[in-house]
Amino acid sequence: MSQNNNIPKVFSIEKLFENGDYIIPVYQRNYAWGEKEINQLIDDIYDYCEENEKNNDKKNYYIGTLIVFKRDKAFEVIDGQQRLTTLFILMSVLNKLNESFRLKFESRERAEKTLQEIRRQEFKFDNYLKEELNINILNAYVLIQKRFKKLNEKFIDYFLDKVQILRIEVPEDTDLNHYFEIMNNRGEQLEKHEILKSRMLAKLKDDKQATSMFNTIWEACTNMERYVQYGFSHEQRKNIFGNNWNEFQKKSFDDLLNQSDQIQMSENASTIAELIGINAKKMSSPELVKDDDNPERFNAVINFSNFLLHVLRIQTNEDIPLDDKRLLETFNGKYESMEDVKCFGFNLLKMKFLFDNYIIKREYTAKGDEWSLKQLIKNDHPSKNNSAYYKNRFNDERQNKNILILLSMFHVSAPTLIYKHWLNAALKYLFENSEIQDSCYISYLEKIAKTYMKDRFLSISPTDYYEIIYCHNGESKNSAIDWNNLNQGTDVENYIFNYLDYLLWKNENFNQFKENFSFSFRSSVEHYYPQKTMKNIDKLDGPILNSFGNLCLVTSSENSRLSNFTPKAKKEFYSKQSNNSIKQRIMMESENWTEYEIKKHQSQMIELLTNELL
């Protein structure tokens, strides 16, 4: 192999699949990307495409790297196989693959067969029912096919031509086993938020006390899974968060600095070079948890980089993107003075405290996992000095549950990080109100939820999220409602189903359907009366099939498995499930499911929506 072959090469997506076949070796894990990762990939590309169109630019979007090893006439994929497989599925949906191109999953017959059927557009649910196809690849195909129905030709052209990937070919004498060992054990590369931190600290370099304070705040906030109080020593917690560790009454960064004589702050590194050194030390000498906090107890709804963007948007009131891949460019030029950085540091700490106390987390205990809305409180029992416990954020259990249900409704409707505008709205409300009362918080969240429904999902002319939150303070513009948005079959937005489930949960007339209900990641719209019927079942007209009365929201795997089943068979299956949507539970109460029951159910649901929205 000549040396030139090892020079990294940049390909457009279209050209990538014209420059060699690829093999996914058996030592690689199977395809595992789900809805979150696929939507994130498509959304990132779409945002860059829109930005280019808006600014009349012709910039490329770099999607990452693909590391390969030349094996005979094909390339063995060492790193990047999840992305490559997803791109293959995207190209299959667009029918843009070169006829001679091959992507092979080595020694995985089911994955190989699924790729072949997808490529030939011969995707059959019956084969899946016989367990002949790969469910993850299958679901990815269905999801991508649905997404691309809503994307225009400009996006497709941009995707094929302007989305770039870097292919790196390792030398032919590379010891692949050793290479993998290095990849799996190497220290983490410096993350963007660490670079941002270094840039901000540079603005404070002449004030050692402020530098130490800012660094301590940043490190305390970095772990989104852990309550921010645990980022400080016991004495620091008392000074910042009060005797019970559950208050935040400081007014400014300088207010924190005034107590710095009492608070011994962190003196961690502040330069990029030092940060890289710290990362290496962390890999070899992990720090022990010194208190009784379990860092794996909670799972947050966003990551730290994305959280930084929420803080920035609320502090500046600017319509900035919530895309953490653009973190550094978004912050560029925003914080040029010492005072700017100090202000951001204070707001970061305040909003992390608010996030921990008033935004849901997924909580994992010995009994299982569930949504939680809790606060951290110091344990005053003498035998448990300097420990803490968790309790509901609001004393009224019903109100606490109401807020939890509302927030989880928003979250499961928008699992992709860059579209968590609901979270931005909630944080903005919390940040701007010194006292958070349960009833007022519920009223605001319900107002946002209602406005989303009217002005975004049912509106003839949808309003931008930023405009709803920042220009109208969540109030509806009384946009004209297009009820036909409910009758679009599988294209009906998930939020519509989830918002309706919230209204049903609140409505006492439907109490019998609410037992053990909680919002989960149901992301697939199902025709309860199937589109493709068996021999002994009449086929309904398209408008009836695709009407809201015949639709329910289920998980992707359930939809794939039961798509062509009769309503009776579906009812038998779903009745054994513990967490169906409330709308679906109501549908399953009907002994029969014909055109009459569909129209009756639709009328009942629209009446409920009308009473709430109009």
Side-chain angles (χ1 to χ4, degrees):
M1 182 182 296
S2 67
Q3 189 174 0
N4 287 339
N5 287 341
N6 301 125
I7 297 175
K9 299 174 183 177
V10 177
F11 295 95
S12 69
I13 299 303
E14 193 165 35
K15 294 297 182 183
L16 177 70
F17 291 96
E18 296 175 2
N19 282 270
D21 298 338
Y22 296 88
I23 298 171
I24 310 297
V26 67
Y27 54 75
Q28 291 274 20
R29 65 173 179 152
N30 219 327
Y31 182 69
W33 271 21
E35 182 178 11
K36 178 181 177 182
E37 293 85 0
I38 294 169
N39 277 331
Q40 186 79 59
L41 178 72
I42 296 175
D43 291 336
D44 288 346
I45 298 171
Y46 182 83
D47 283 352
Y48 271 85
C49 176
E50 288 288 287
E51 191 73 14
N52 274 9
E53 184 74 12
K54 180 179 175 181
N55 299 324
N56 198 25
D57 288 334
K58 296 183 179 179
K59 293 181 181 178
N60 295 325
Y61 175 67
Y62 292 92
I63 203 170
T65 58
L66 179 66
I67 301 176
V68 298
F69 176 83
K70 191 68 181 291
R71 189 210 288 185
D72 298 327
K73 296 181 180 180
F75 293 100
E76 180 174 327
V77 179
I78 298 175
D79 193 35
Q81 70 106 340
Q82 300 289 331
R83 186 184 297 109
L84 179 66
T85 305
T86 304
L87 292 173
F88 175 90
I89 299 170
L90 281 162
M91 293 291 283
S92 297
V93 169
L94 294 175
N95 199 22
K96 295 289 185 179
L97 285 171
N98 186 302
E99 285 187 5
S100 62
F101 173 79
R102 295 290 180 269
L103 174 63
K104 178 179 176 60
F105 269 74
E106 196 173 50
S107 301
R108 289 195 178 104
E109 183 178 348
R110 192 181 302 176
E112 187 77 3
K113 182 171 183 178
T114 310
L115 290 177
Q116 291 173 4
E117 292 203 8
I118 284 174
R119 179 174 183 158
R120 295 196 300 262
Q121 307 290 316
E122 294 178 3
F123 162 78
K124 298 175 182 177
F125 278 108
D126 289 342
N127 285 341
Y128 167 66
L129 294 175
K130 297 174 185 175
E131 298 186 342
E132 293 178 4
L133 298 184
N134 180 290
I135 182 60
N136 288 337
I137 296 176
L138 199 64
N139 284 336
Y141 174 81
V142 173
L143 173 62
I144 291 168
Q145 193 178 50
K146 179 179 178 180
R147 285 297 307 270
F148 268 72
K149 285 181 182 178
K150 301 179 181 180
L151 299 172
N152 55 37
E153 287 297 325
K154 288 181 181 178
F155 171 84
I156 293 172
D157 290 340
Y158 183 86
F159 168 75
L160 294 172
D161 185 49
K162 293 297 182 182
V163 176
Q164 309 275 294
I165 190 167
L166 182 68
R167 190 175 74 188
I168 301 173
E169 186 177 341
V170 300
E172 62 182 359
D173 58 349
T174 300
D175 182 340
L176 291 185
N177 289 330
H178 181 60
Y179 187 89
F180 258 97
E181 183 179 344
I182 293 172
M183 286 181 62
N184 291 331
N185 293 304
R186 66 188 175 189
E188 295 180 2
Q189 296 179 359
L190 200 62
E191 295 188 35
K192 290 180 180 179
H193 66 77
E194 293 176 304
I195 297 173
L196 177 62
K197 171 191 170 185
S198 178
R199 291 178 181 177
M200 287 191 168
L201 285 172
K203 305 295 181 183
L204 302 174
K205 62 182 179 180
D206 295 330
D207 188 331
K208 188 174 182 180
Q209 190 181 38
T211 298
S212 182
M213 174 70 73
F214 184 91
N215 188 70
T216 302
I217 290 171
W218 190 283
E219 291 300 309
C221 295
T222 301
N223 189 341
M224 297 301 294
E225 266 64 52
R226 190 171 67 167
Y227 279 65
V228 71
Q229 293 94 317
Y230 280 116
F232 298 89
S233 70
H234 296 133
E235 188 61 28
Q236 291 167 4
R237 294 174 202 172
K238 179 180 177 180
N239 282 298
I240 298 174
F241 305 105
N243 291 331
N244 292 323
W245 302 354
N246 68 333
E247 299 176 341
F248 188 81
Q249 297 180 344
K250 301 295 180 283
K251 303 299 181 184
S252 68
F253 192 89
D254 288 336
D255 194 8
L256 291 169
L257 280 179
N258 289 336
Q259 299 186 43
S260 60
D261 290 339
Q262 305 167 21
I263 304 173
Q264 185 64 39
M265 288 297 163
S266 167
E267 295 184 359
N268 287 345
S270 61
T271 66
I272 290 179
E274 289 172 316
L275 283 168
I276 293 173
I278 287 173
N279 281 352
K281 291 177 183 178
K282 284 180 179 177
M283 295 300 293
S284 59
S285 303
E287 183 181 353
L288 295 175
V289 178
K290 297 178 181 178
D291 48 45
D292 60 349
D293 176 43
N294 179 3
E296 297 181 353
R297 177 168 178 169
F298 297 101
N299 187 265
V301 296
I302 56 168
N303 61 38
F304 180 61
S305 292
N306 193 261
F307 183 68
L308 291 170
L309 292 167
H310 283 274
V311 177
L312 176 65
R313 179 187 262 202
I314 292 169
Q315 180 169 311
T316 62
N317 280 329
E318 295 178 13
D319 186 11
I320 65 165
L322 298 175
D323 181 1
D324 60 352
K325 288 186 176 60
R326 302 163 66 180
L327 181 70
L328 295 179
E329 64 182 87
T330 303
F331 269 84
N332 191 35
K334 299 293 185 187
Y335 296 94
E336 297 299 314
S337 71
M338 179 183 291
E339 290 306 313
D340 289 340
V341 173
K342 287 164 66 175
C343 181
F344 183 83
F346 176 79
N347 289 336
L348 174 63
L349 179 58
K350 179 179 178 179
M351 266 189 254
K352 181 59 166 67
F353 177 83
L354 293 171
F355 177 88
D356 290 341
N357 281 268
Y358 297 99
I359 302 297
I360 57 165
K361 288 181 171 67
R362 197 69 181 175
E363 183 177 9
Y364 296 85
T365 65
K367 298 179 181 179
D369 61 287
E370 59 183 4
W371 300 117
S372 74
L373 185 67
K374 293 182 176 178
Q375 59 180 318
L376 179 76
I377 300 179
K378 182 179 182 297
N379 198 324
D380 287 329
H381 196 280
S383 66
K384 295 186 177 182
N385 188 36
N386 289 329
S387 66
Y389 63 95
Y390 301 98
K391 62 173 288 189
N392 283 348
R393 174 66 254 186
F394 298 101
N395 292 327
D396 187 322
E397 186 174 347
R398 183 176 178 82
Q399 294 286 75
N400 200 83
K401 176 72 170 180
N402 198 154
I403 295 169
L404 184 150
I405 286 285
L406 261 169
L407 292 173
S408 58
M409 175 207 69
F410 280 120
H411 177 51
V412 301
S413 300
T416 307
L417 292 179
I418 63 174
Y419 290 126
K420 293 202 178 298
H421 299 281
W422 66 268
L423 175 59
N424 195 250
L427 286 172
K428 182 174 183 291
Y429 171 84
L430 297 168
F431 183 74
E432 293 174 350
N433 288 272
S434 56
E435 293 186 15
I436 313 299
Q437 298 179 348
D438 50 14
S439 58
C440 295
Y441 192 23
I442 290 172
S443 295
Y444 176 78
L445 293 174
E446 287 184 334
K447 180 174 68 175
I448 288 289
K450 180 178 177 178
T451 301
Y452 275 16
M453 191 70 166
K454 289 184 66 176
D455 293 8
R456 284 288 304 178
F457 295 101
L458 294 181
S459 175
I460 295 175
S461 301
T463 306
D464 181 74
Y465 287 111
Y466 177 83
E467 188 177 342
I468 291 173
I469 299 166
Y470 287 82
C471 301
H472 305 300
N473 195 32
E475 298 289 347
S476 174
K477 289 172 34 180
N478 294 316
S479 303
I481 289 179
D482 183 1
W483 291 106
N484 193 48
N485 285 352
L486 297 176
N487 302 317
Q488 302 298 317
T490 57
D491 289 336
V492 177
E493 296 287 351
N494 294 352
Y495 179 85
I496 293 175
F497 292 94
N498 288 327
Y499 179 71
L500 177 62
D501 265 357
Y502 174 71
L503 296 183
L504 291 167
W505 180 83
K506 287 269 291 188
N507 194 313
E508 294 182 357
N509 294 328
F510 299 95
N511 282 342
Q512 70 269 34
F513 302 108
K514 296 188 291 191
E515 185 178 359
N516 298 323
F517 172 76
S518 68
F519 281 105
S520 60
F521 292 97
R522 308 177 192 95
S523 58
S524 189
V525 179
E526 180 181 80
H527 292 82
Y528 195 57
Y529 195 102
Q531 290 178 290
K532 295 181 180 180
T533 57
M534 307 295 182
K535 293 181 180 179
N536 300 328
I537 306 179
D538 295 333
K539 186 173 182 178
L540 296 180
D541 292 336
I544 298 296
L545 276 174
N546 290 310
S547 67
F548 191 61
N550 189 45
L551 304 174
C552 56
L553 199 60
V554 299
T555 66
S556 296
S557 60
E558 289 171 344
N559 196 353
S560 299
R561 185 182 299 271
L562 304 171
S563 177
N564 297 336
F565 282 28
T566 66
K568 183 177 180 181
K570 289 178 180 179
K571 178 179 178 180
E572 183 177 343
F573 174 85
Y574 284 123
S575 62
K576 301 174 184 177
Q577 307 302 306
S578 60
N579 195 28
N580 301 312
S581 78
I582 299 178
K583 181 182 188 297
Q584 183 186 357
R585 295 180 186 187
I586 295 171
M587 294 167 71
M588 291 192 300
E589 281 295 296
S590 296
E591 186 67 26
N592 300 306
W593 195 253
T594 65
E595 181 174 342
Y596 171 79
E597 284 79 21
I598 292 172
K599 288 182 175 179
K600 180 181 177 181
H601 177 67
Q602 169 129 343
S603 177
Q604 186 183 29
M605 295 300 101
I606 289 182
E607 181 182 1
L608 182 66
L609 288 170
T610 301
N611 292 338
E612 182 67 23
L613 300 178
L614 300 179

